[in-house]
Structures are given as C-alpha cells and as structure tokens.
Amino acid sequence: MKKISYSILLVSGLAFGQFFEKGKTFTKQDTLKGSNTEFRNFWDVKKYELSVEPNFQQKSISGNNKISFEITKDISNPVFQIDLQQPMKADKVEGNFPITNHKQDGDFIWITTHKKFKKGEKYSINITYSGNPVIAKRAPWDGGWIFTTDEKGNPWMSVADEGIGASVWLPTKDIWSDEPDNGIIMKIITPKDLVGVGNGRLISKKTENNKNIFTWEIKNPINAYSIIPNIGKYVNFKDFYTGEKGKLDLDYWVIDYNLEKAKKQFQQVKPMLKAFEYWFGPYPFYEDSYKLVESPHLGMEHQSNIAYGNGYQNGYLGRDLSGTGVGLNWDFIIIHESGHEWFANNITAKDQADMWIHEAFTNYSEVLFTENYMDKKSSDIYAQGIQNNIENDVPIIGKYGVRNEGSGDMYAKGASMIHTMRQIINNDAKFREILRGLNKDFYHQTVTTEQVEKYISEKAGFDFTTIFNQYLRTTDVPVLEYAQKGTELKYRFVKGVKNLNLPIRFGEYTISPNESWQTLKLKNSDPVEFSKNYYIRYKKI
C-alpha cells in the first residue's frame, strides 16, 4: 500500500514502500537490486525450501533457504548474485555444483564457479543465514521485521517487506520478474506455546526439542515479498466457498482472544469472493487455499496468507477513504488486500516501476465490490469520492531497473483512469471480459505495463495509448473547457497530451474534444450536465 496525498493515509498509510523522489540519484546498488543483471539473467528460480526460527528476546532470526533453479542459457564461469540485506549474514553457502568462492558484500552474496552450464540443467544453492534483521518502525510502510506483543503480553512476530524486499531477512533472488515456478516449502520453528502460520497449506506439525515445527506449502508461483511467517498465540477456524473452480478452502488464523470477533467480521469474505470471481475470474490459488491471518500491522496482500490488522471494523481503521460514507459498509483490508490475489499475486509486475498494475486495479476492485455488494449508484459515488485523494505530484510510473516505485497516485488516480476507460468502453460485458481475460491470459505471470496497455486496447477495440500516457506518465489532468449559448455548445481540451483520444458521453451526445474549439448543436437549450465518472476537470467559460 503507498504515499497518497490523502493526508489521512500519510498518517496511517494505504501504500507500502517508498515513492518516487524527484531528483533522486540512483546508485550501482540500486541497479543491482532492480535489474535483471548478468548475475541474474542466466538462471530461473524453480523453488524455495526454507526454514525460519525467530528469537523474540534477541530480536533475531535464523534458518536456511535451498534455492532450486534452472539454467536458461549456455554459460561458462558465471557469477551468481543472491540478495541478503545487512545486517543479516550468510553463515554457510553450499551448492550441488562446484563453488569456487563465495563472498558477502553489502546486501549481496556473490558466488563464483569455474563450471560450464548448459541450458536446461537444474541445480540448487543452499544458504544458512542468521542475524538481527531490520526492524520495521512503521510496518508495513517502511518494511522489516516486527517483534511485538499481543494484548495479553504474548510474543507476536511477523515481517512486511514489499518495498524493501524479501532479502531484508531471507536470502533470495529478490527481483519481481523471477518467482519460484514450483512454489515454496516453509518451515516455521516456534517456542512450544506459539503457533507459526505461513503461506498456502499446513502440511505437517511436529514438536522437537521443546519447539514446534510448522511446515507450510505453496504449490503455485509466488512473489518473494509475499513469503511471510507469522508467529503468535494463534487459533484457527475454517470454512469453504463454492466458487467457479469448485470448493475453495477458507482458512482463518487469529489471536486467541479475537476468535468471536473474527468469526463475525470475516463473513465478508464470501461476498468478496463472489464479487471478484464475477469480475476477475476464478480465485487464482485454489490449490493453496484462501487465508486471512491476523497481523501486528494494518495489512498486506501476502499470497494465500493475507495479513489482517484492521481491528475487526468496517472502513479503513474505521474511516472511509472515499469521504462519501460508502466505504463504511465493508472492511477495507479484507476487500482491498484480497483484490491483490488477482492483481499483484496472480498478475505481478516485472519491475517495481510498474506497481500501478497491482494498485490501480486493486483500488478499483473496491469500486467493483461495492457495485456487487451494494449497487451501481453507490459504486459510482465511491469512485468519484476517491478522486479527491489524487495529488498529481509525480508520474505514476517510476524509474525502471532500480526498484523504484512511482507516485502513490497509482491507487486513486490509477483507479480513476480505469473508471474513465470503463465509461469510454460503455459496455460492461466487454469491460468484464477484459478484466477476466487479463487474469486468464496472464495467469500466474509477471508482466510489463506495455503488455497490459496493449492487451486492454486490443480487447476493447479502442486505442487507449494516449489515455495511458496522460494518466500514467504525466501529472496533468485534462480540462474540458466549454461554453453554452442556447443550443450551441463550444468545447475543447486543455492540458491534454498530444492527440488525446478521450471521447465524452453526456445524455444522448458523445463528443471527441481536441485542442481546437469545436461546436455541437444541441436539441434544446437546457444546461449541459457532464458525468463525474470521467477523471477530467470541467471549466465553464
């Protein structure tokens, strides 16, 4: 979730991570973290098999990660880059191939070998790690581990790392474009009186040496920042939802004293799934179940392990981010973070600069949920309300190749762009087909902005190029200047990108403004009324 001029969000935040900074100078380290470098581009991660054991008193963690991978091109004597951020340490590095040397330098582990690799060969690297990880100051926005206590003083631990990266604690190939295709196995080791909850399904639990070992499995690809252990005094209850692909298991883990509150509040999950399966297609991870886990921070979209910390209340910590009152009819964290299962987890941006793909569609999922849960009028009111949260500070798309996110406007402005495009398409059946098609045709894939833009234009039968340029790449909002004299309406666009193609419907009329004045003959002299569903500004002159 990220910086949004919603001053309300600056206090409690809707957006995670860092935002694009004007004039920021990027370093070689930024490029190493954010690019598919020569140290990354010859191997593809297939699976992570990891363990993690936190120590509450020492605020430390330890464990290991076996990284299984496939060679993607013939190469000799390569250098592997594994990401592990300071002050975490790699205690042991082993491989099932000859390793000449390994060295930890800053936030990276460099592994050298004098071996010739052939495309298609499969290998693994096993890294034992330990240390005191970065502690989050304002989780989930700044990122890092959380060592806190619940209301009864019991240890409660987790991590949030979308912006800072999973390598803040775990040795990984920490780049969004390479997800482990065959999923993960995660062992969470806890004191005997605590419970460890991870992604996917619990496949085993045992006790050894007065410690619990919980083993969780994800069968599907997963973005690294979604790999999250949760440790606390958890209790579990279950349910199921009959969806488009059959029975979907619903798995809920909450702090023991909140069980009854959770059973009531989490009833919103089924109408959420009904709405999102209608608009986006089947829930993307039936094999791994749907899970909500109470967290010591507000919330995050961890795949099949959604972090929930909204206090069992509707709205966003009891407030309505749209300012209309509509958002108080449902729990923001359940709806928004679950929407990310389709946009962020099913469809993941290859580069952090394209994070709008995650947040614009998910912000708009709130509008679509409202339409199904309430009615179209309420959803339009909500969509219009969130326009007031847009800052137009810097462009939505960030800098590529350096782990840089664009403006927090990727939320409200991105959603407003989609709502505007929906008005232009003017066919909700086709609009729904596009949303479902995105999730089907890019199923479990990482994508670029260009792929998404091209797909929507082709499926809509309308060239949205200038609209994407307007809203993603500039901070200008098109202004429709108009003058009405009797039955004559004069109009033009200002502050639009060159050749902006944004037709506007009102009543029985459709106009296609450009930079020049145009005239429309109206059937009567009634004052024209333009729709607030377009994210443009109107100026009567």
Side-chain angles (χ1 to χ4, degrees):
M1 294 170 124
K2 183 184 244 65
K3 179 199 172 199
I4 308 186
S5 146
Y6 322 3
S7 52
I8 203 175
L9 295 183
L10 287 172
V11 175
S12 37
L14 165 60
F16 296 114
Q18 301 171 337
F19 58 90
F20 174 74
E21 300 173 50
K22 293 180 180 178
K24 177 177 172 62
T25 300
F26 295 99
T27 65
K28 180 180 179 181
Q29 181 169 263
D30 293 322
T31 299
L32 288 171
K33 288 182 176 182
S35 298
N36 191 26
T37 64
E38 62 183 300
F39 313 112
R40 287 170 157 172
N41 65 8
F42 62 93
W43 57 290
D44 176 46
V45 176
K46 292 300 178 183
K47 192 168 188 175
Y48 292 132
E49 297 171 75
L50 66 106
S51 69
V52 57
E53 179 177 4
N55 184 307
F56 182 78
Q57 286 73 29
Q58 297 179 7
K59 291 184 171 52
S60 66
I61 58 172
S62 60
N64 73 281
N65 190 16
K66 179 183 177 183
I67 305 171
S68 298
F69 60 90
E70 181 175 328
I71 300 296
T72 58
K73 64 181 179 180
D74 294 351
I75 191 169
S76 298
N77 308 322
V79 177
F80 291 82
Q81 172 189 331
I82 308 293
D83 306 287
L84 183 62
Q85 297 179 39
Q86 302 177 77
M88 296 299 296
K89 299 295 183 184
D91 301 313
K92 185 187 294 185
V93 177
E94 301 173 300
N96 61 356
F97 59 92
I99 292 178
T100 305
N101 189 32
H102 68 83
K103 178 183 179 182
Q104 187 167 358
D105 183 13
D107 292 339
F108 310 103
I109 304 166
W110 301 104
I111 300 171
T112 58
T113 176
H114 296 313
K115 177 177 171 55
K116 292 183 178 180
F117 292 91
K118 296 291 185 181
K119 180 179 179 180
E121 293 178 341
K122 296 180 180 180
Y123 297 95
S124 65
I125 296 171
N126 196 358
I127 300 175
T128 302
Y129 67 93
S130 64
N132 296 90
V134 170
I135 304 296
K137 295 180 178 64
R138 288 182 63 249
W141 302 283
D142 59 339
W145 266 77
I146 304 110
F147 293 90
T148 188
T149 57
D150 65 22
E151 291 178 7
K152 294 186 177 180
N154 299 304
W156 196 5
M157 296 167 279
S158 189
V159 61
D161 51 35
E162 180 187 35
I164 197 171
S167 58
V168 74
W169 68 280
L170 182 68
T172 59
K173 185 179 183 182
D174 199 2
I175 186 170
W176 285 13
S177 59
D178 194 359
E179 301 180 345
D181 302 296
N182 301 323
I184 66 169
I185 298 287
M186 176 163 55
K187 291 183 178 180
I188 306 173
I189 304 168
T190 76
K192 197 173 181 180
D193 60 339
L194 297 179
V195 175
V197 184
N199 305 82
R201 295 182 183 274
L202 180 64
I203 58 175
S204 74
K205 176 194 172 184
K206 60 182 180 179
T207 302
E208 291 181 358
N209 301 320
N210 210 35
K211 295 178 181 179
N212 293 327
I213 302 175
F214 300 86
T215 303
W216 295 83
E217 180 181 27
I218 279 277
K219 293 185 176 181
N220 291 297
I222 181 171
N223 48 60
Y225 71 77
S226 277
I227 302 172
I228 300 293
N230 307 274
I231 300 94
K233 275 277 190 177
Y234 285 107
V235 293
N236 174 237
F237 68 102
K238 300 180 184 294
D239 201 348
F240 70 91
Y241 175 74
T242 303
E244 291 193 14
K245 291 178 69 174
K247 181 182 177 182
L248 173 60
D249 293 323
L250 310 179
D251 200 16
Y252 304 124
W253 296 80
V254 300
I255 299 301
D256 50 10
Y257 51 78
N258 283 328
L259 180 60
E260 294 307 314
K261 290 181 182 178
K263 286 182 176 180
K264 179 180 179 180
Q265 192 72 1
F266 290 0
Q267 290 176 15
Q268 295 186 34
V269 167
K270 289 184 179 180
M272 174 275 298
L273 288 167
K274 179 182 178 182
F276 289 167
E277 286 210 328
Y278 173 82
W279 286 107
F280 301 148
Y283 175 75
F285 308 107
Y286 270 73
E287 302 85 353
D288 297 323
S289 80
Y290 172 90
K291 180 153 68 275
L292 281 178
V293 183
E294 188 170 0
S295 63
H297 59 80
L298 179 61
M300 260 295 297
E301 66 261 26
H302 306 134
Q303 185 173 314
S304 66
N305 185 18
I306 295 169
Y308 176 84
N310 201 35
Y312 302 99
Q313 59 189 321
N314 283 354
Y316 177 99
L317 295 174
R319 302 188 293 273
D320 174 20
L321 297 181
S322 77
T324 66
V326 174
L328 295 177
N329 290 283
W330 38 266
D331 189 313
F332 179 91
I333 293 298
I334 292 177
I335 305 310
H336 180 91
E337 303 304 348
S338 297
H340 275 305
E341 292 283 50
W342 283 265
F343 291 97
N345 298 341
N346 183 37
I347 303 172
T348 307
K350 286 183 180 292
D351 192 293
Q352 223 155 319
D354 286 337
M355 191 173 160
W356 76 271
I357 297 169
H358 301 190
E359 300 300 351
F361 287 99
T362 301
N363 201 224
Y364 196 67
S365 76
E366 302 160 26
V367 177
L368 297 173
F369 171 76
T370 299
E371 184 170 335
N372 278 55
Y373 189 60
M374 299 176 67
D375 50 62
K376 185 68 164 62
K377 180 180 178 180
S378 298
S379 69
D380 281 345
I381 290 171
Y382 186 84
Q384 293 162 18
I386 62 177
Q387 291 182 15
N388 296 320
N389 298 320
I390 300 170
E391 282 193 4
N392 288 307
D393 52 354
V394 292
I396 285 176
I397 293 179
K399 297 290 186 181
Y400 288 100
V402 288
R403 286 189 70 93
N404 175 254
E405 302 167 8
S407 168
D409 278 348
M410 69 177 77
Y411 292 78
K413 186 177 178 181
S416 298
M417 176 187 73
I418 294 170
H419 198 52
T420 298
M421 293 162 63
R422 182 180 181 183
Q423 312 311 309
I424 294 169
I425 293 171
N426 194 28
N427 182 331
D428 276 355
K430 179 179 286 188
F431 179 70
R432 176 174 170 241
E433 284 178 7
I434 292 170
L435 296 175
R436 291 176 65 95
L438 283 166
N439 280 280
K440 179 182 178 182
D441 294 343
F442 295 121
Y443 184 72
H444 291 178
Q445 294 181 35
T446 60
V447 302
T448 65
T449 284
E450 288 70 27
Q451 285 177 285
V452 173
E453 290 181 358
K454 181 179 179 182
Y455 185 93
I456 293 174
S457 289
E458 287 182 351
K459 298 300 180 180
F462 181 92
D463 187 355
F464 283 108
T465 299
T466 58
I467 290 177
F468 286 121
N469 287 339
Q470 181 79 54
Y471 295 110
L472 297 180
R473 299 177 176 90
T474 82
T475 58
D476 291 328
V477 181
V479 178
L480 181 69
E481 291 187 339
Y482 70 97
Q484 182 179 359
K485 187 174 181 180
T487 59
E488 182 181 86
L489 178 69
K490 295 178 63 178
Y491 57 90
R492 70 172 181 178
F493 265 149
V494 295
K495 293 192 175 181
V497 298
K498 186 176 181 180
N499 299 320
L500 176 62
N501 184 14
L502 201 170
I504 298 169
R505 289 181 299 105
F506 61 99
E508 59 185 282
Y509 307 102
T510 300
I511 57 176
S512 297
N514 55 38
E515 297 173 358
S516 302
W517 284 104
Q518 300 180 62
T519 302
L520 173 69
K521 188 70 173 178
L522 303 170
K523 291 186 176 179
N524 57 57
S525 58
D526 294 341
V528 296
E529 294 184 9
F530 293 106
S531 172
K532 297 178 182 179
N533 284 323
Y534 294 89
Y535 180 51
I536 62 175
R537 292 176 179 150
Y538 300 102
K539 182 179 180 181
K540 186 176 182 180
I541 60 176

